[in-house]
């Protein structure tokens, strides 16, 4: 599914299923990507996204993700600000 909302439609979220391969082992997973277009906000904020991955079949609303990746970008430049952090 896909949803757009927030102030000035600055937030986008999509969720789906896929296959994750870790060290040669495939697992069916659910993933969600949440993003913010900071240029749509006043004052401007950084663009950002979060990718979360869960075992398929668990409820993302009530369970912690197996993996989470976050990124923060400087508005208008497309350059990463501080890099990407991966958590599991």
């Amino acid at each position: 599914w896909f949803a757009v909302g927030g102030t000035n439609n600055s937030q986008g979220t999509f969720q789906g299923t896929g296959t994750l391969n870790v060290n040669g082992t495939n697992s069916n997973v659910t993933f969600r990507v949440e993003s913010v277009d900071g240029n749509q906000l006043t004052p401007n904020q950084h663009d950002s996204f979060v990718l979360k991955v869960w075992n398929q079949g668990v409820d993302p609303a009530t369970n912690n993700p197996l993996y989470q990746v976050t990124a923060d970008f400087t508005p208008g430049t497309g350059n990463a600000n501080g890099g990407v952090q991966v958590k599991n």
Side-chain angles (χ1 to χ4, degrees):
W1 53 262
F2 177 72
V4 175
T7 302
N8 296 329
N9 289 326
S10 60
Q11 299 173 343
T13 303
F14 66 92
Q15 183 171 309
T17 59
T19 303
L20 177 68
N21 183 295
V22 177
N23 297 324
T25 301
N26 290 331
S27 300
N28 293 324
V29 296
T30 298
F31 66 89
R32 180 183 297 162
V33 176
E34 302 165 350
S35 62
V36 174
D37 181 353
N39 292 333
Q40 299 297 324
L41 301 172
T42 305
N44 283 353
Q45 297 179 13
H46 292 197
D47 294 348
S48 63
F49 76 85
V50 178
L51 166 65
K52 297 178 182 179
V53 178
W54 294 268
N55 279 326
Q56 197 166 1
V58 302
D59 183 356
T62 59
N63 289 275
N64 291 325
L66 293 171
Y67 300 98
Q68 179 171 315
V69 178
T70 61
D72 186 23
F73 300 93
T74 304
T77 67
N79 295 322
N81 182 26
V84 175
Q85 185 177 19
V86 178
K87 296 181 181 179
N88 65 3

